[in-house]
Amino acid sequence: MKNFDFSVPTKVLFGEGKLNELKDYLGNMGKKGLLVTGKSSMRKTGVLDRVIKLGKESGVEIIVNEGVEPNPTSDYINHMSKLVRKEGCDFLIGLGGGSPMDAAKAISLLAINDGVIEDYLPGGKYEDMANVLGALPIVAITTTAGTGSEVTMFSVITNKKTKEKPGIGHQCLFPVLSIIDPELMVSVPKHITLSTGVDVLFHALEAYICTVATPLTDMYALEAIKLVLENLGDVLEDGSNLEKRSKVAWANTLAGMAIVQASTVGIHGMGHPIGGHTNSPHGMTMAALGKAFLDKTYDGDIDRYSNITKILGYDCEGLSKKECAAKSGEALQRVLDRFGAHVTISDLGVKEDMIETLAKDAFKTMGGCMAVSLKELDVEDAISIYKSSL
Ligand code: NAD
């Protein structure tokens, strides 16, 4: 059996009503924290006020900034890191979806390290993260079931100047505390439930078809796929169904733990550049590329891809294993169509003359994901996958 290491050093509070337990932990984080969130949803739903109140009850001061945009930018991170230093904050809270959680992580990194966030992105002077001193403690309160950021060591930041959208990763970016309370997700509108739910599916799928999968990540990934297939459709029909929301939230947590120990592959690797150049909803960039990616790579591991075809519900009766593996892209597309996630990269704003840049960006900024795909890929392969997805 394959050897592997495993560690998710985050205290996870999972379940309905778990937000209330925040007050039991905040006091241990320090005296003053910066909470970052998006422009309106957390205020409108009353969740922001609840968190501020819980802060007061635990005797900590919480400074609030509601300026996180979807796909957070380097400019925002650099600006907020100055504020954190000036205010002498002891910890960060990211409240919302992946964007506020990732922003909190990146700000916490800059709070005690030199430079601007671009220095830590690919091509920057600290890109190897070798001399990182640590980060301020991060509390992640997720309100979407999508990115898994609440249990990962990754932060995804869009470089405003280059339009690149790389992920950075470091052990110090694991949140110390994560709250996954499905009650906070009931207000997520249908189109965001879809794009985030699709992201969960891709995290799990990609963790299963990467070279660094382990028995443990396979277990997480396969359970997460099953939970999404069984529950996401019902949540899309009725967003107030808390039991089903909980199951998709659990799939999200499992898939996040799977990618942190294994990895995503070229689907995320090629999806990020689309997000960087078009600001598209993250999950839909994967939906647009998934079939073409599987069609291109299925012969990299016939066993794993044929398993995926069957798990996605395709009947392989009468087919050889190789024929079954070759159907993985079609099986995935059927699932996406059933959820209403039929999308092309043209729909997301990609034009044919952007493709070469996107393909090069994928290898420059997401090279780690490109490298662990089960079939070796080069820039020409990426170009052909993008072209098939137009
Ligand atoms: P998001 O955080 O950008 O939020 C999308 C929209 O949903 C926002 O307008 C927000 O206001 C709204 N929203 C969030 N919660 C809501 C709620 N409870 N009710 C109503 N509206 C709500 O979306 P996301 O998909 O969660 O995160 C995407 C970001 O996460 C991207 O930048 C992506 O690259 C990144 N990401 C990070 C990781 C990681 O491991 N760090 C993994 C995957 C993706």
Side-chain angles (χ1 to χ4, degrees), residues 266-267 269-271 273-274 288-289 292-293 296-297 345-346 350-363 370 376-390:
I267 308 176
M270 295 172 60
I274 297 178
L289 294 167
F293 183 89
K296 186 89 183 166
T297 57
I345 63 171
S346 309
V350 174
K351 306 268 182 289
E352 194 159 1
D353 62 4
M354 294 161 63
I355 284 180
E356 201 175 324
T357 306
L358 296 179
K360 286 182 180 155
D361 272 12
F363 283 90
M370 300 306 290
E376 208 175 312
L377 296 169
D378 61 21
V379 173
E380 286 310 313
D381 294 321
I383 288 175
S384 107
I385 293 169
Y386 280 126
K387 283 193 174 162
S388 307
S389 309
L390 274 167

Side-chain angles (χ1 to χ4, degrees), residues 212-372:
V212 287
T214 71
L216 192 79
T217 60
D218 284 351
M219 195 175 88
Y220 287 165
L222 294 177
E223 179 67 6
I225 294 173
K226 180 170 157 273
L227 286 166
V228 172
L229 294 179
E230 288 174 358
N231 297 289
L232 182 61
D234 291 336
V235 177
L236 289 166
E237 281 289 308
D238 174 11
S240 67
N241 186 331
L242 209 44
E243 181 58 21
K244 298 280 178 178
R245 284 263 186 212
S246 299
K247 295 217 164 119
V248 179
W250 179 228
N252 176 40
T253 309
L254 288 173
M257 292 197 291
I259 58 170
V260 101
Q261 308 299 325
S263 181
T264 52
V265 292
I267 308 176
H268 264 71
M270 295 172 60
H272 276 223
I274 297 178
H277 283 264
T278 66
N279 204 23
S280 306
H282 174 70
M284 299 319 273
T285 65
M286 315 308 148
L289 294 167
K291 178 179 187 306
F293 183 89
L294 297 188
D295 288 348
K296 186 89 183 166
T297 57
Y298 74 89
D299 55 350
D301 190 321
I302 297 297
D303 281 341
R304 283 195 172 249
Y305 278 74
S306 62
N307 244 348
I308 282 295
T309 308
K310 288 185 257 173
I311 288 159
L312 291 173
Y314 194 96
D315 183 2
C316 283
E317 178 87 40
L319 299 181
S320 69
K321 216 180 222 188
K322 187 168 182 189
E323 287 165 339
C324 181
K327 294 287 181 192
S328 54
E330 193 179 326
L332 174 64
Q333 194 58 56
R334 285 186 187 180
V335 167
L336 293 171
D337 290 355
R338 177 156 61 83
F339 289 144
H342 190 104
V343 66
T344 64
I345 63 171
S346 309
D347 298 333
L348 301 177
V350 174
K351 306 268 182 289
E352 194 159 1
D353 62 4
M354 294 161 63
I355 284 180
E356 201 175 324
T357 306
L358 296 179
K360 286 182 180 155
D361 272 12
F363 283 90
K364 179 182 169 200
T365 63
M366 297 293 289
C369 298
M370 300 306 290
V372 295

Side-chain angles (χ1 to χ4, degrees), residues 91-154:
F91 64 95
L92 265 293
I93 301 177
L95 171 66
S99 298
M101 291 188 286
D102 284 5
K105 291 176 178 181
I107 297 163
S108 79
L109 178 80
L110 284 189
I112 54 172
N113 291 282
D114 270 355
V116 290
I117 199 67
E118 288 86 343
D119 293 332
Y120 297 85
L121 304 181
K125 61 181 168 184
Y126 305 133
E127 68 171 334
D128 62 3
M129 309 278 276
N131 296 319
V132 166
L133 299 170
L136 291 181
I138 300 148
V139 178
I141 306 173
T142 186
T143 64
T144 63
T147 66
S149 180
E150 65 279 3
V151 287
T152 76
M153 57 196 261
F154 307 123

